[in-house]
Structures are given as structure tokens and as C-alpha cells.
Amino acid sequence: MVQRVVWTLDPTSQVVAREILRRGPMSRAELSRRLRLSGPTVSRIAKPLLEAGLIVEDGPARLTRTGRPSLPLRFSDSLGRFCGIGVLEDALQVSVCTVSGEELHQRSFDVDSSDPAQTITTMVDAVAWARTQDPAIAAVGVSVPGIVEHLRYVRRSRRLGWSNIDLAGRLGAAVSLPVVINNDFHALTSAEHWFGYGLQHPSFLTVVIDAVVGAGLVVNDRLAQESDGRGGLIGHHLVLPGGPTCRDGHAGCADGLLTRRAMTEQFALAFGRDVTYEQGLALADQQDPTARRVLDRAADGLGVLVGELGNLLGHQNVVVTGAGAGWVGVARDRFVGQLEKMYLRGTAEVHLAVREWLVTDWGRAAAIAAVRSCPFLDGPDDTHA
């Protein structure tokens, strides 16, 4: 019943539905204030959404200015659950989430992701597992490290060794569900946009430190995402002339200086012996001068990278995240100092959030990307150029 109605939502109703999804439960008065719509307009829009079962009245009644009770509105669970699959080199991180992004179940599946056929077979097994946890799976989202076109095709993934794979088509046919594919950086940014940092900041830049360094962008509450999937590839941006060399032979680029692997190599080189990433961070946190030099150099490089991107794009709101972002917390003061120098010679106020993204969180990000692909939610909020 819901699907027949939501496919015909007009743009204003889409905006109202998204607002309730992201920020609910909320009263009609709150909706009216946030969206700058009149009270009668909000009530008119809410009525068919309530009748369709898309939203429900929930929670304790709140008195309006006229003294009449008003029940808060929240999104219904009638749309089912969403399965997210984050593809890594050696595993699939799988999550089952509600429509509001709450993770209910999580599991990791071992796989050799260099073999796309075997990986797709394991994805089918992952969706079957998700259905055992909750049979009401409505859609599947997959995040992939690489270039993704039209939320469907993996054109190239150097990390996985894939090229020209109709991943959405093949997986969708096997599981008989809608499937949406996203670049992993864009999936993470979309999760921050709808259910994280973006709830307070309508425009922000995301810098992701993982096996490589990437970026995502939200402008005026719209996710900027090129249809050919090539946005956000900043790993070879020069941040430290003459600095460490990445695997592709670029000296001083972000990938060669900032990733977990790069940091581990720099710790070992500085100490003249094997030092794990965790050991290096612990030593730096204890103010060991050798470890601090490694960390300070990386912090300066990250400050240059984020500052140049922020100045170019006109953003002072920045999220630094990813499975390899743990070191940023240890070197936060040094990073912020360099970042503030980069922003118009210190004249701009920088709003910074540092979040160490767990490896297991890639599945949730992919699930949220699947939620965003629902026809009744895909409107003027998002940009697919």
C-alpha cells in the first residue's frame, strides 16, 4: 500500500517526509518552523502520509500555542529493513538497518574480493543471512572502493582489481531486490549527511582516511555526487613536497603520508625497526619525540590538504573520518593549528569533527545509501550531476 502512494509524492511532500525521517519524532509545529511552511500546509501534507502508513503519530502529546494537543510524527517501519554490504579486499561487512539508519544486525563474511564472481556469490549469501535476521528486506546497498557509475556499474576498482561490472544488475537479479551501488567515500558522506554531522551542518566537507584518502561534499543540504563516480579522488594530491612515496610512486601525496599503511611505514623508518601502527600512536601520545615527528608531519600534511580543499570549495565545516583516522585524534591540536593557518590566513572559523570510522561501519553506510535511493525520498535533496 505504501509503495503505490509514495511513488506519487510531490517535491514538497518529499521534503516533509525526509525531514521526519532524519529528525523525527517531531511535531507539526516543529516541521512548520524548520521548513518554513504554514501549519495548514504541513497538516495537509501529513494527512496522506499518515493514511498511507508512511509516517505515524507517536510519543507523548505536546500542546500547541492554541492549547490543543499535537502528537509527534515519526517515520513508520512499514518500509521494511535495508541491507548494506561494504566491500573490502578480504571481507564483506554486512548490516541490517532500519529506514532511519539504526543498525539492528551486523556480520562479516570472509571473501577474496579480487574474484568478482565469487564476491557476488558471497553477497547473495549475505543477503540470505540478512533475510534470516529480518525477512522484510526492502533494498540492498553496496559500497565499493572505486569508480561507480549511475549507482549501478563498477567501472574500475584498483583495490579490488575489478572493471566494467554491472554489479547492481547481477546482484539484483540474484536476490530479486532493488540494489544500489555507491563509491565507499560517497556512501560514508551520505550517512553523515542524513544521520550524522549533516543534521547540524547543511554544508560540509568529508575527508576519509582509509586504505587511500578520499573526499565527499554536501552543499546546502545536497549531496554532491557525479554520475560517473569520479568525484572525491584526492589521494594523489600533493601535501608535502619531497615527502614519502605512495604505492604509485608519487612523492608527498596524501596517500603516501596519511593512511594507516603509510603511517606504519613511517614509524618503522623513523625508529629503524618494525613498529606497529598502534605502537606508534601510543608512543606519540606519550610524547616520544621520534613518534611525534612522524605524527606532526602527517598532521601538517592533513592540514594543508583540508585547508586547500576548504578554501577552494568555500567550506569551514569539516569531518575527518575513516578506519585510518585514529591518529588524527592524537595529533588534533597540531592538525587544527595548520588547518587554521590555511583558511584565509586564519580569518575563518573552522568547525571540525574527527570520527574514527570502524571497519564494520561500512555496511551501515551502504544501507543508508540504499534508503536514500527510495523513489519517494530521492528528490531535490540530492545532486547527481
Side-chain angles (χ1 to χ4, degrees):
M1 179 177 66
V2 172
Q3 289 292 337
R4 288 200 300 272
V5 176
V6 298
W7 273 78
T8 62
L9 288 184
D10 61 84
T12 303
S13 297
Q14 288 181 345
V15 171
V16 170
R18 281 197 300 270
E19 194 71 9
I20 296 171
L21 171 61
R22 294 176 64 193
R23 302 178 190 276
M26 60 194 313
S27 69
R28 291 167 176 81
E30 289 175 300
L31 272 171
S32 177
R33 184 177 63 254
R34 289 197 61 86
L35 299 178
R36 298 181 180 180
L37 297 172
S38 69
T41 298
V42 169
S43 295
R44 176 181 58 79
I45 292 173
K47 183 178 179 181
L49 301 182
L50 285 164
E51 292 173 348
L54 186 62
I55 62 175
V56 296
E57 293 180 317
D58 190 25
R62 305 175 188 178
L63 293 180
T64 66
R65 290 181 179 178
T66 62
R68 298 175 60 186
S70 174
L71 289 171
L73 302 172
R74 69 167 176 84
F75 226 78
S76 169
D77 291 330
S78 62
L79 292 175
R81 308 303 189 201
F82 293 80
C83 175
I85 303 174
V87 183
L88 308 178
E89 289 93 333
D90 57 358
L92 303 179
Q93 299 296 338
V94 184
S95 295
V96 177
C97 296
T98 67
V99 69
S100 58
E102 178 188 358
E103 186 176 67
L104 302 176
H105 310 284
Q106 189 278 328
R107 181 179 170 183
S108 178
F109 287 76
D110 294 334
V111 68
D112 177 6
S113 296
S114 64
D115 182 346
Q118 181 58 47
T119 303
I120 292 172
T121 297
T122 306
M123 287 181 184
V124 174
D125 294 340
V127 175
W129 167 81
R131 280 170 156 157
T132 66
Q133 305 304 304
D134 197 315
I137 301 296
V140 179
V142 182
S143 69
V144 178
I147 297 173
V148 175
E149 290 185 357
H150 306 295
L151 306 179
R152 180 181 180 113
Y153 304 97
V154 180
R155 286 305 179 203
R156 184 168 67 93
S157 174
R158 293 189 60 186
R159 285 171 60 187
L160 304 181
W162 294 9
S163 61
N164 299 320
I165 296 176
D166 181 4
L167 183 55
R170 292 171 63 175
L171 180 58
V175 300
S176 300
L177 286 170
V179 175
V180 59
I181 314 299
N182 261 273
N183 166 272
D184 50 2
F185 299 144
H186 290 152
L188 189 153
T189 302
S190 73
E192 285 287 355
H193 178 207
W194 267 22
F195 301 115
Y197 192 78
L199 291 173
Q200 300 298 323
H201 303 280
S203 296
F204 65 92
L205 169 69
T206 301
V207 175
V208 185
I209 304 175
D210 200 68
V212 296
V213 181
L217 182 64
V218 173
V219 182
N220 296 329
D221 214 26
R222 296 162 67 102
L223 177 66
Q225 183 173 353
E226 296 292 334
S227 61
D228 66 2
R230 297 178 189 275
L233 304 178
I234 61 172
H236 292 317
H237 187 84
L238 179 64
V239 297
L240 182 67
T245 301
C246 75
R247 288 182 289 177
D248 293 320
H250 301 106
C253 72
D255 282 353
L257 183 67
L258 307 178
T259 65
R260 184 186 181 104
R261 173 175 175 169
M263 296 291 293
T264 303
E265 292 174 348
Q266 291 169 66
F267 282 133
L269 185 62
F271 283 98
R273 57 182 173 83
D274 288 341
V275 177
T276 67
Y277 174 77
E278 289 78 12
Q279 290 170 339
L281 292 192
L283 289 168
D285 198 31
Q286 297 164 13
Q287 301 303 313
D288 178 274
T290 301
R292 274 316 312 188
R293 283 194 294 271
V294 172
L295 215 60
D296 287 348
R297 185 169 66 165
D300 289 345
L302 182 60
V304 169
L305 176 67
V306 176
E308 289 183 347
L309 290 173
N311 283 329
L312 176 66
L313 299 169
H315 284 304
Q316 284 79 50
N317 300 322
V318 180
V319 180
V320 178
T321 186
W327 67 266
V328 182
V330 181
R332 184 187 180 102
D333 290 344
R334 178 82 176 214
F335 165 49
V336 170
Q338 180 64 37
L339 182 60
E340 290 178 341
K341 292 177 185 177
M342 293 295 299
Y343 269 106
L344 301 176
R345 297 182 180 178
T347 60
E349 183 181 359
V350 180
H351 300 277
L352 175 68
V354 178
R355 310 180 192 276
E356 186 172 11
W357 190 263
L358 302 178
V359 171
T360 53
D361 290 335
W362 287 115
R364 177 174 177 265
I368 291 172
V371 173
R372 295 179 69 123
S373 72
C374 291
F376 62 93
L377 294 174
D378 185 21
D381 169 280
D382 294 320
T383 299
H384 300 291

